[in-house]
Amino acid sequence: MASSDLSVLLSMGFAQERAELAVKNTGGLHGAIEWLEQNQDKSLEEIQAAFSHENDPNAEPPALQPGEAAKSLVCNECGKRFRSQAQAEFHASKTEHVDFAESTEEIVPLTEEEKKARLEELRLKLAEKRAGLSEQDKEDKKRNEAIRRKSTKETQDIKEDLRKKEQLKEAAAKRREKQEEIAAKDRIKAKIAADKEARRLKTEKEKAEREGRVPESVPAAAPVPTSSGPVASKPASAYTETRLRLQTSSGTIQKSFSVDTTLFEVAAAVSQDAGTEVQTLTQNYPKKVYDHTDWGLTLKEAGLIPSAVLIAR
């Protein structure tokens, strides 16, 4: 009989261990259903722990003995009725209820129809409970997804803000480099014009000396205007930084260095940026090639201030 009750409980969807404990603790289908209802909110570990405290874990509440007078006991704390003293004691051991009273009402066994109705009711309760858990799982998933999306959006906003700031910094650096490049070109043009005028005056002076006459006085040339304003003379010792425009096989590199930076350090920096080893640095005007024998010179000692154009090879 116990095996058939167990089969019915298993067919209703109860877990194997819970169903076995229910049948073992009650000794019948009706009692097993009540036991499962009472313990449906308890974990299996809690049920097993409570069951292990019994003197005899395998003891089952005895059924009514043949010829025993029909009577019942009522638990005044929960209202449940029991057919025998043993069943009431078993209930007390499980629930710790101690207030019982005798009743003249006889507990009539459930009919087959009542059993089916009770089983159906229990199935509906189980279905509702599972549906509730399913809905809770859906809500949890929605909430977790909302949190994930919010976190992703915040991360994307931060990255976008950083990207815009980097673009602004790059644009400002390019504008500054362009202005410095224009100013450097203007200074070079002014220097070329001054050197050209100095050579002309020297040639005129030598010609006049050969002809035995005094060279005509030539008014000083007006300063060459540049896009950045008049070029003010400044002693080389006053500069602390020099601007280098370095032409490499992979493109042009513009960098600012301290005037005390050695040519070796400049070559190392260009090698790192260009990805190729630099053997020489060549200046076109005046023509000068710096190789490893000159690497110990500083930019100030090499006269590469306040700016210079070098070809890195």
Side-chain angles (χ1 to χ4, degrees):
M1 182 63 178
S3 61
S4 62
D5 293 340
L6 178 61
S7 301
V8 172
L9 293 175
L10 292 177
S11 67
M12 294 172 63
F14 287 105
Q16 176 85 23
E17 294 182 348
R18 283 180 177 270
E20 289 178 352
L21 286 172
V23 174
K24 186 179 293 184
N25 286 335
T26 60
L29 181 60
H30 174 66
I33 293 174
E34 290 184 349
W35 186 89
L36 289 168
E37 287 180 344
Q38 294 172 7
N39 295 278
Q40 61 181 342
D41 295 327
K42 296 181 182 179
S43 66
L44 183 61
E45 290 75 14
E46 292 174 340
I47 296 172
Q48 290 175 337
F51 186 65
S52 65
H53 289 302
E54 297 297 323
N55 294 330
D56 185 1
N58 297 318
E60 298 182 3
L64 290 174
Q65 296 297 324
E68 185 178 3
K71 63 180 180 179
S72 63
L73 294 174
V74 180
C75 177
N76 293 329
E77 296 186 32
C78 65
K80 287 188 176 296
R81 295 179 180 275
F82 307 95
R83 290 191 179 91
S84 67
Q85 183 74 21
Q87 291 177 344
E89 290 176 355
F90 184 78
H91 174 75
S93 67
K94 293 296 182 181
T95 62
E96 297 184 358
H97 293 173
V98 296
D99 188 6
F100 293 88
E102 290 186 351
S103 174
T104 57
E105 296 182 15
E106 181 181 359
I107 299 177
V108 181
L110 295 177
T111 63
E112 290 299 324
E113 290 75 11
E114 289 174 337
K115 288 182 181 180
K116 290 181 181 179
R118 193 65 178 273
L119 291 175
E120 184 62 26
E121 179 184 353
L122 191 55
R123 285 196 184 97
L124 291 175
K125 287 183 179 180
L126 289 173
E128 290 175 1
K129 185 175 181 180
R130 289 170 181 168
L133 292 175
S134 178
E135 289 298 325
Q136 184 63 38
D137 290 341
K138 290 180 181 179
E139 291 297 325
D140 291 342
K141 287 181 181 179
K142 288 181 181 179
R143 184 166 57 254
N144 292 337
E145 180 65 16
I147 294 172
R148 186 191 66 78
R149 289 180 179 177
K150 182 179 179 182
S151 176
T152 302
K153 186 177 185 303
E154 290 176 351
T155 303
Q156 290 175 346
D157 291 343
I158 292 173
K159 289 182 178 179
E160 181 66 17
D161 185 53
L162 291 175
R163 187 183 65 81
K164 290 180 179 179
K165 288 181 179 178
E166 288 297 326
Q167 288 179 342
L168 291 175
K169 287 173 63 178
E170 289 177 3
K174 288 181 180 179
R175 286 195 298 269
R176 186 169 59 253
E177 290 178 358
K178 187 67 176 179
Q179 292 171 355
E180 292 174 353
E181 183 180 354
I182 293 173
K185 287 181 179 179
D186 290 340
R187 288 194 295 270
I188 292 172
K189 289 179 181 178
K191 185 177 181 181
I192 292 173
D195 290 345
K196 184 177 180 181
E197 181 65 16
R199 288 195 301 271
R200 187 185 70 79
L201 293 175
K202 183 178 180 181
T203 301
E204 288 290 337
K205 181 179 179 181
E206 292 175 350
K207 182 178 179 181
E209 289 177 350
R210 286 194 303 270
E211 293 176 354
R213 58 183 177 84
V214 178
E216 298 179 359
S217 60
V218 180
V224 180
T226 65
S227 60
S228 59
V231 179
S233 60
K234 188 176 180 181
S237 59
Y239 291 98
T240 60
E241 190 177 74
T242 184
R243 181 76 175 176
L244 296 183
R245 179 171 180 171
L246 302 141
Q247 298 177 356
T248 68
S249 58
S250 59
T252 301
I253 300 173
Q254 291 189 4
K255 278 184 172 294
S256 294
F257 296 93
S258 169
V259 295
D260 295 324
T261 304
T262 63
L263 293 178
F264 174 79
E265 293 172 319
V266 174
V270 176
S271 298
Q272 183 176 1
D273 292 346
T276 56
E277 185 177 359
V278 175
Q279 300 292 338
T280 62
L281 295 171
T282 303
Q283 183 182 24
N284 283 334
Y285 184 81
K287 186 71 173 180
K288 174 67 176 175
V289 178
Y290 301 97
D291 57 19
H292 66 278
T293 61
D294 304 307
W295 277 174
L297 295 175
T298 65
L299 293 174
K300 185 176 182 179
E301 292 170 346
L304 301 175
I305 53 173
S307 63
V309 179
L310 298 175
I311 301 174
R313 294 191 174 92

